[in-house]
Amino acid sequence: MSLRVSARTLDRVDWPQLVERLRAHARTPGGRRRCDGDARASLFTQDVEASRTRLAETSEARKLLETGATPALGGVAALEPMLRRAERGGVLPAAELLDLASTLEAVHGVAALLRREQERAPRLAARGESGLGEHRELARAIARALDPEGQVRDEASPELAEARAATRRLGSEISRRLERTLRDPELAPHLSDRFVTLRNDRYVLPVRSDARARVPGIVHDASGSGTTLFVEPEAVVDLNNRLKEAELRAQREIARMLRELSEAVGADVESLRDSLATLEELDLAFARGALSRELGAVEPTLARDGSFVLPQLRHPLLPRQEAVANDVRLGEGPHVLVLSGPNAGGKTVLMKGVALAALCVRAGLHVTAAAGARVAWVEGVLADIGDAQSVRESLSTFSAHMANLAHIVEASTPRSLVVLDEIGDGTDPAEGAALAQAILEALASAGARVVATTHYNLLKEMAAVDPRFENASFEFDPESLAPTYRLRVGVPGASSAAAVAARMGLRRDVLERADALLAREDRRLERMLRELAESRIALERERHEAERVRAQTEAERDEVRRRLDELQQRRDRLFRGLKRDLEGAFRDAHAEVAGVIRELQRGGSARDAARARERLVDLEARTRQAEADLEPAPAPGEPVDWPRARPGDRVRLREGGEAELLALPDRRGRVALRVGSARMLVPAERVQRASASQGGERRPAPTPRVAVEGGTPAAAGGVERVDLRGLRVEEALGRVAEALDRATLTARAEVVFVHGLGTGRLRDAVREHLASSPYVTGFAPGDPERGGEGITVARLDG
């Protein structure tokens, strides 16, 4: 069924501008012609299935364009006039035949493209398969007969080739004879110029009129002044005759060939018309696909129940980055949507957007909305829209509007979409509002889908008493005094005329007087609507802020979780590595203990026993430290209250494990601790309170894991003397390292190494080792009375 819509309605809802955007994407003359003037009606489909097919074809075309599969339509020409002449038996000129050949090339190219893309574009491929004919024989015949410049080829027929060869041969012979004549000394004085020219398609010479008798021949023309005659010499008359005959033969052969080609076109004219019509349809399909891509539109679902579901609807003629999208629903429940709100707030734009969506689906165009759009397939679009920007329209009378509304009421059906801008405006407000309500009720009773804009409070109240009506309003920002263009469904909107007037610069005293003159009930309703709008805007802002904070919090939480996972993985890797190191350390420790025990069992001196005990103490300390490194870091503890702390208190190392406090912090902030049977110095900030209170009952020190009878370490804080005489350098350096470790654990201040004088090699090795030791703060030879250069006194950081 054809769409019932007037040209005036199409113009009022901006349909011509949208079609012009479509026309810009068409590439064939026929496709562009269908977008012009009265021909636009052919864009609308006749039934629902045709609309569904066109919408699907638009989607397929857009998909092909997005992947670079563009049909080559640049060579298509407007052929209908020449087809009509060929159909009546006329002879077509070579230029028109070339246009036909380029168009047929496009037909075959598009057909080949659609065959290749059949899987991605099955509907377009089916249209091409059924509508694009096979015209290759005709195209080949034209290509054989005509070159790209439109000249008939010599090889097109033997007769033409022979005639053109004779023409070239005779022309050359005539030129040679006339050149000889020009050089003849007897004739040269009688010529007015020395050149050969053509008159009446005959080769002639310019002869002075007073020497006519000196040059025998036929006079064909004279100069404007009469002083020169153009004479065909007798010597070339016969050659010119023969040349003319050859040219005539060539012309007859060319005419014969063009006539045969024209007859071939006339015989195939119906098939050619079908191919051209299909090509135009395909051109429009690709134009629709290109427009859909340009506008960011989507393929809607067609609704037979008259419902409109348009999420994020935009007016297609507004720039995408500037348009404010809104969700619109109509016809599922209420059939009449009453739009209210401030002037210039977007009501008319939204109303036109709904009308354009209904027209688009009838033309196979996608709609500028989000995915999930559903549009009713309507049989008529009726509109009463004024144009506030038009001087002519501002002079239109209320009676003209009423006549149009009367027609709309009579023509409305359940398959009609009616859009009414400022219904009832232009007369007494009370009467206008009453008329508007009566008209909207009549349209609702007819089952039409209606979108109406209004400032009448009476119409805003109808949704509360009539379920066929629903309110929707556009927001007005009370702070900026500007519309937000955002639609809110379910609530009416204040007109905000005073705010708009204030924004336009009207004086405050005038605004206050207008407020005082406003009827009490209207003022109360207007104030209520304004307060409701302000509250809604405030709540909306708070909601957006809450959503933003929630999103930020979730992002931060995810980041913390990610970092915790990374730390956990890193800790697990370190734990596994430390565990392997500890296991290796335990194996080494057991081996060392076994070796010490074997040495003692073989019988050692007391000095050997003491040295073995010192090695075991050092081994125990290193083992405990390795165990502490493997333990996970404990939670932060309480700091030690140093003024109340006393030697003997139990404390806890920050890295884990408990110790006994031996001395309070020294001047360098270090405290002496006993861990097991080992003594160590640690920074005070690494020490925390143990679980028992300071100064309380002391816990017994844990029993050492390794204990060896015999020998005790030197008293803490004294000076140890290590005799290295008689030892090899490697063995002596080992003794030096052990002594430094032992001195560090027992907080000795000095260690004296006795190496003797000898060659000086042992002395130099010892001092070089001391220079690289982190425990040694300095060293020097002994006093002369203590041994001089035979000893080295090392000062420790203690």
Side-chain angles (χ1 to χ4, degrees):
M1 180 180 180
S2 60
L3 178 66
R4 297 193 305 274
V5 59
S6 67
R8 179 182 175 84
T9 295
L10 293 176
D11 185 62
R12 290 303 184 205
V13 299
D14 302 333
W15 178 252
Q17 293 91 314
L18 183 59
V19 174
E20 192 60 30
R21 297 278 290 272
L22 175 67
R23 188 184 190 281
H25 291 288
R27 303 177 61 195
T28 66
R32 290 189 290 268
R33 187 177 61 253
R34 294 192 186 193
C35 299
D36 295 335
D38 296 337
R40 292 179 188 143
S42 65
L43 296 175
F44 297 121
T45 58
Q46 300 300 309
D47 56 65
V48 175
E49 289 307 315
S51 292
R52 287 199 177 99
T53 299
R54 280 199 189 177
L55 289 170
E57 289 176 349
T58 302
S59 297
E60 292 178 357
R62 176 174 176 175
K63 187 188 306 180
L64 294 182
L65 291 173
E66 288 175 342
T67 57
T70 305
L73 296 171
V76 177
L79 301 181
E80 183 54 34
M82 88 171 225
L83 292 180
R84 285 198 298 267
R85 286 203 309 277
E87 191 175 25
R88 294 195 298 265
V91 177
L92 305 177
E96 292 185 351
L97 289 170
L98 282 181
D99 287 343
L100 174 60
S102 65
T103 301
L104 294 180
E105 182 179 353
V107 168
H108 299 145
V110 172
L113 169 70
L114 296 179
R115 282 194 296 271
R116 291 194 304 270
E117 302 292 345
Q118 185 171 6
E119 289 187 5
R120 290 195 298 169
R123 292 175 179 83
L124 291 177
R127 183 180 289 274
E129 181 70 23
S130 62
L132 296 178
E134 182 63 47
H135 310 285
R136 295 190 183 278
E137 190 57 42
L138 179 58
R140 281 194 288 265
I142 296 174
R144 284 195 304 268
L146 302 176
D147 64 16
E149 286 73 34
Q151 299 297 319
V152 179
R153 302 177 187 274
D154 289 355
E155 57 272 21
S157 75
E159 293 81 0
L160 180 60
E162 180 183 352
R164 284 184 171 170
T167 300
R168 290 190 291 270
R169 185 178 65 255
L170 292 168
S172 298
E173 179 62 25
I174 293 171
S175 295
R176 284 195 300 271
R177 290 195 182 187
L178 292 178
E179 288 294 334
R180 287 199 302 268
T181 303
L182 290 175
R183 292 192 298 271
D184 187 344
E186 293 182 1
L187 292 179
H190 307 301
L191 301 177
S192 61
D193 209 337
R194 300 179 64 83
F195 63 83
V196 178
T197 186
L198 285 172
R199 288 295 185 273
N200 300 325
D201 294 331
R202 311 282 287 191
Y203 286 93
V204 296
L205 295 175
V207 179
R208 289 163 41 200
S209 58
D210 59 352
R212 165 69 184 84
R214 299 291 184 176
V215 182
I218 301 171
V219 177
H220 286 277
D221 200 0
S223 65
S225 63
T227 59
T228 299
L229 300 176
F230 295 98
V231 178
E232 178 184 5
E234 289 181 349
V236 296
V237 170
D238 182 58
L239 291 175
N240 267 330
N241 291 337
R242 290 161 58 191
L243 175 61
K244 190 64 175 178
E245 292 174 0
E247 290 175 345
L248 291 173
R249 288 200 307 272
Q251 291 174 4
R252 286 194 297 270
E253 186 60 21
I254 290 173
R256 183 190 66 80
M257 297 179 63
L258 294 177
R259 185 170 56 255
E260 288 182 356
L261 290 174
S262 300
E263 291 172 353
V265 173
D268 201 26
V269 69
E270 291 303 325
S271 178
L272 289 171
R273 281 198 175 103
D274 291 341
S275 294
L276 290 175
T278 301
L279 198 64
E280 291 173 3
E281 289 287 349
L282 292 170
D283 178 34
L284 283 175
F286 279 97
R288 295 194 303 269
L291 183 62
S292 172
R293 185 181 180 186
E294 176 189 327
L295 299 178
V298 299
E299 179 184 352
T301 301
L302 281 181
R304 298 297 299 270
D305 60 356
S307 60
F308 290 81
V309 178
L310 296 167
Q312 297 298 291
L313 175 67
R314 294 176 285 109
H315 192 291
L317 299 180
L318 293 178
R320 294 175 62 182
Q321 64 274 15
E322 298 177 10
V324 177
N326 288 294
D327 296 339
V328 179
R329 305 179 79 94
L330 176 66
E332 291 180 314
H335 288 185
V336 181
L337 185 64
V338 179
L339 298 178
S340 56
N343 290 321
K347 301 187 298 296
T348 304
V349 171
L350 181 73
M351 180 178 60
K352 289 182 177 181
V354 176
L356 286 174
L359 295 173
C360 282
V361 298
R362 285 295 301 255
L365 293 171
H366 288 174
V367 298
T368 48
R374 188 166 75 245
V375 180
W377 195 87
V378 299
E379 296 175 355
V381 177
L382 304 166
D384 186 73
I385 301 175
D387 186 357
Q389 304 299 321
S390 169
V391 174
R392 178 175 58 86
E393 189 60 28
S394 68
L395 299 176
S396 60
T397 63
F398 176 74
S399 59
H401 281 292
M402 285 297 106
N404 190 30
L405 289 171
H407 165 72
I408 290 174
V409 171
E410 292 299 323
S412 295
T413 70
R415 291 195 176 278
S416 298
L417 173 66
V418 181
V419 290
L420 305 174
D421 192 25
E422 303 297 347
I423 180 173
D425 197 17
T427 187
D428 176 76
E431 286 189 297
L435 277 172
Q437 178 175 347
I439 291 170
L440 292 179
E441 289 176 347
L443 294 174
S445 298
R449 271 55 178 173
V450 184
V451 180
T453 69
T454 187
H455 290 288
Y456 290 143
N457 290 331
L458 179 63
L459 300 186
K460 300 176 187 177
E461 299 169 357
M462 292 179 66
V465 296
D466 193 331
R468 299 174 299 176
F469 288 75
E470 183 169 33
N471 275 319
S473 60
F474 282 87
E475 292 180 345
F476 189 83
D477 192 332
E479 296 180 3
S480 64
L481 299 181
T484 65
Y485 305 108
R486 296 198 175 278
L487 182 70
R488 289 294 176 263
V489 178
V491 292
S495 298
S496 303
V500 174
R503 187 160 59 96
M504 295 297 104
L506 195 61
R507 289 205 323 260
R508 183 178 183 85
D509 60 325
V510 179
L511 295 172
E512 291 175 352
R513 175 58 178 164
D515 184 65
L517 293 174
L518 190 65
R520 182 179 303 173
E521 292 184 2
D522 288 342
R523 183 163 59 246
R524 188 185 305 119
L525 177 59
E526 196 72 17
R527 185 179 298 111
M528 179 190 67
L529 293 177
R530 184 170 59 252
E531 292 174 353
L532 180 61
E534 292 175 359
S535 300
R536 187 170 62 247
I537 292 174
L539 289 173
E540 189 71 13
R541 287 175 179 168
E542 292 179 3
R543 184 178 65 84
H544 286 315
E545 179 64 18
E547 290 177 353
R548 185 191 66 79
V549 171
R550 184 181 65 182
Q552 181 179 353
T553 303
E554 290 178 352
E556 293 174 352
R557 182 187 61 193
D558 293 342
E559 179 65 16
V560 169
R561 286 177 177 174
R562 184 186 65 79
R563 291 185 179 181
L564 286 176
D565 290 341
E566 291 179 356
L567 290 174
Q568 181 70 23
Q569 294 173 6
R570 182 180 177 187
R571 188 189 70 83
D572 292 344
R573 289 195 298 271
L574 291 174
F575 183 83
R576 289 192 294 269
L578 288 173
K579 185 177 181 181
R580 288 194 298 270
D581 295 343
L582 181 60
E583 290 174 351
F586 278 141
R587 287 194 297 270
D588 296 342
H590 286 304
E592 290 188 38
V593 169
V596 170
I597 293 175
R598 284 195 298 270
E599 291 179 4
L600 293 176
Q601 289 174 346
R602 286 197 295 268
S605 64
R607 183 176 178 180
D608 293 335
R611 194 159 47 241
R613 179 176 180 81
E614 291 172 358
R615 289 175 60 190
L616 292 175
V617 168
D618 178 58
L619 177 62
E620 180 183 21
R622 285 188 282 125
T623 303
R624 286 184 176 275
Q625 184 61 43
E627 288 180 325
D629 290 342
L630 188 61
E631 290 293 328
E638 297 181 9
V640 176
D641 186 2
W642 293 114
R644 298 179 56 190
R646 297 290 183 272
D649 287 349
R650 300 299 297 172
V651 295
R652 182 177 181 84
L653 292 173
R654 187 173 61 191
E655 293 81 0
E658 292 191 354
E660 179 185 355
L661 181 65
L662 298 179
L664 297 179
D666 59 14
R667 66 180 183 276
R668 302 181 64 178
R670 299 175 303 177
V671 295
L673 302 176
R674 177 179 288 115
V675 180
S677 59
R679 174 188 172 94
M680 63 173 59
L681 287 172
V682 299
E685 59 268 16
R686 292 175 53 190
V687 181
Q688 300 170 347
R689 292 184 58 184
S691 56
S693 43
Q694 291 177 225
E697 181 181 355
R698 294 175 54 186
R699 298 180 182 178
T703 304
R705 294 187 180 186
V706 181
V708 180
E709 294 298 329
T712 60
V719 176
E720 182 177 1
R721 187 178 183 88
V722 181
D723 192 349
L724 305 176
R725 289 173 294 183
L727 300 178
R728 297 191 303 274
V729 171
E730 292 78 6
E731 184 179 2
L733 293 181
R735 295 280 183 89
V736 171
E738 293 174 0
L740 292 176
D741 291 339
R742 190 166 54 250
T744 299
L745 288 173
T746 56
R748 293 189 180 98
E750 290 185 351
V751 179
V752 177
F753 296 99
V754 182
H755 43 67
L757 294 174
T759 62
R761 182 168 176 266
L762 180 59
R763 177 196 63 200
D764 294 339
V766 169
R767 292 179 178 177
E768 181 179 354
H769 183 85
L770 294 176
S772 62
S773 173
Y775 304 131
V776 178
T777 59
F779 59 87
D783 296 334
E785 61 271 20
R786 296 175 59 188
E789 287 291 332
I791 67 174
T792 297
V793 180
R795 294 187 300 278
L796 275 67
D797 189 13

